[in-house]
């Protein structure tokens, strides 16, 4: 979209992107719909997979190109075992792929202000990074404990932001006039579960969704494709399906939201 087609408004519009593993590709679909609608985002806040999608977008990378990056590079291929450490896998190896897209490696150097949420595992608290090393903050925010080795930042251990805050809307509340929420963890009701893996997966998603109803009420527009939470965290085969489902859901949510339609008419 050309600059002439960007929505002209003095209102600050923020977007919050949840965690969710490979389901986080949904955020790229949502962001593409926003680009095509002409809405200009003023601030991005994300955790885990949302921090990756948000970083690409904040760096000026088109969301569809972001999808191509995920598919082309096979992101999970860059993860290698870290035997004998506190995690089974060393996420630090993902740095090799990210540095090609973030050569400056500074959050404050991005084109759009970005806040990355991570969990300070040493202190047991939520941390927000809005400046400093970008790639290390992304890795910290995406570091699933028990699977990935914790990321060290200033002698503190950091792990996945979704452990304590999987929908980091807080940095946007006093900084934005409108907030768009993008969550990729919706669960459909079920009558029975026969596999232990499905039981664990559903339990984890239910846990990170515990405060979603309250936080969703703080958003002007909420995009949450139905049943997305049932897709496995590492199922790369669903990447394009996730992207386009989220794209269509975002267009529909924006179209049906009266406050945003009024904004688009200005």
């Amino acid at each position: 979209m050309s600059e002439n087609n960007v929505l002209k408004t003095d209102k600050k519009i923020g977007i919050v992107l949840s965690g969710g593993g490979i389901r986080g590709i949904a955020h790229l679909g949502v962001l593409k719909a926003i680009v095509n609608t002409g809405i200009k985002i003023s601030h991005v806040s994300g955790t885990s997979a949302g921090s990756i999608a948000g970083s690409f977008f904040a760096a000026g990378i088109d969301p569809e190109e972001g999808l191509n990056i995920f598919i082309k590079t096979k992101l999970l291929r860059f993860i290698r075992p870290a035997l004998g450490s506190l995690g089974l896998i060393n996420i630090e190896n993902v740095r090799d792929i990210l540095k090609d897209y973030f050569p400056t490696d500074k959050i404050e150097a991005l084109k759009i202000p970005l806040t990355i949420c991570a969990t300070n595992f040493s202190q047991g608290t939520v941390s927000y990074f809005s400046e400093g090393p970008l790639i290390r903050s992304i890795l910290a925010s995406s570091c699933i404990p028990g699977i990935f080795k914790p990321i060290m930042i200033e002698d503190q251990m950091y792990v996945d932001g979704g452990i304590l805050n999987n929908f980091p809307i807080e940095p946007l509340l006093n900084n934005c006039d409108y907030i768009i929420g993008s969550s990729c963890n919706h669960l459909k009701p079920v009558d029975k579960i026969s596999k232990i893996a499905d039981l664990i997966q559903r339990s984890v998603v239910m846990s990170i969704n515990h405060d979603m109803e309250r936080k969703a009420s703080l958003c002007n527009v909420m995009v949450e494709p139905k049943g997305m939470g049932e897709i496995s965290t590492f199922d790369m085969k669903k990447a394009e399906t996730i992207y386009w489902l989220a794209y269509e859901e975002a267009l529909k949510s924006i179209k049906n939201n009266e406050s945003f339609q009024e904004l688009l008419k200005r």
Side-chain angles (χ1 to χ4, degrees):
M1 173 169 289
S2 70
E3 191 171 323
N4 291 333
N5 292 326
V6 173
L7 176 65
K8 304 297 184 182
T9 178
D10 58 355
K11 300 293 185 182
K12 293 182 178 180
I13 303 173
I15 185 165
V16 52
L17 310 174
S18 74
I22 202 62
R23 299 188 300 273
I25 285 177
H27 302 316
L28 296 173
V30 173
L31 289 165
K32 185 63 175 181
I34 288 170
V35 169
N36 287 351
T37 304
I39 296 170
K40 183 178 180 181
I41 296 297
S42 305
H43 194 147
V44 180
S45 180
T47 194
S48 197
S51 75
I52 302 175
S55 295
F56 282 151
F57 185 72
I61 297 172
D62 184 83
E64 193 160 345
E65 176 58 22
L67 171 65
N68 292 334
I69 291 170
F70 268 91
I71 295 174
K72 175 179 63 178
T73 60
K74 295 181 175 63
L75 196 57
L76 298 181
R77 180 168 59 88
F78 285 77
I79 298 172
R80 296 290 185 268
L83 300 178
S85 66
L86 293 177
L88 299 177
I89 297 170
N90 191 348
I91 199 174
E92 291 268 12
N93 292 287
V94 180
R95 178 186 301 277
D96 295 335
I97 181 172
L98 294 179
K99 67 181 181 182
D100 290 336
Y101 302 99
F102 308 120
T104 305
D105 196 19
K106 291 288 185 182
I107 299 175
E108 57 269 33
L110 296 169
K111 296 181 179 180
I112 300 173
L114 170 72
T115 300
I116 293 176
C117 175
T119 297
N120 184 322
F121 201 61
S122 296
Q123 302 294 328
T125 57
V126 175
S127 292
Y128 299 106
F129 298 99
S130 56
E131 59 182 21
L134 172 61
I135 294 176
R136 198 154 195 81
S137 298
I138 293 172
L139 297 182
S141 181
S142 307
C143 189
I144 304 171
I147 296 179
F148 299 130
K149 179 182 177 181
I151 294 295
M152 300 300 297
I153 300 177
E154 297 182 354
D155 298 323
Q156 299 285 293
M157 291 187 295
Y158 285 87
V159 295
D160 197 300
I163 299 300
L164 293 181
N165 190 351
N166 201 52
F167 196 72
I169 193 173
E170 291 81 1
L172 306 180
L173 292 178
N174 296 320
N175 297 312
C176 299
D177 301 296
Y178 289 86
I179 297 176
I180 301 173
S182 178
S183 174
C184 54
N185 298 302
H186 178 271
L187 289 172
K188 293 180 179 178
V190 295
D191 295 324
K192 62 179 181 179
I193 292 181
S194 56
K195 297 180 180 178
I196 187 65
D198 293 338
L199 176 65
I200 295 172
Q201 168 87 7
R202 189 172 178 85
S203 298
V204 170
V205 175
M206 288 174 66
S207 177
I208 63 176
N209 278 346
H210 74 280
D211 58 354
M212 273 305 302
E213 184 174 352
R214 177 184 66 83
K215 290 191 173 183
S217 69
L218 300 174
C219 297
N220 297 93
V221 174
M222 186 67 201
V223 184
E224 190 175 31
K226 301 294 185 291
M228 194 73 76
E230 295 162 14
I231 297 174
S232 173
T233 301
F234 299 108
D235 192 353
M236 276 297 297
K237 292 180 292 185
K238 300 282 182 61
E240 290 193 68
T241 298
I242 292 169
Y243 177 89
W244 290 111
L245 281 174
Y247 175 81
E248 295 295 337
E249 185 70 22
L251 288 180
K252 182 171 63 176
S253 297
I254 292 171
K255 180 180 179 180
N256 293 336
N257 186 279
E258 293 183 4
S259 65
F260 261 75
Q261 287 306 305
E262 288 299 317
L263 187 64
L264 291 169
K265 291 176 183 177
R266 296 179 185 178

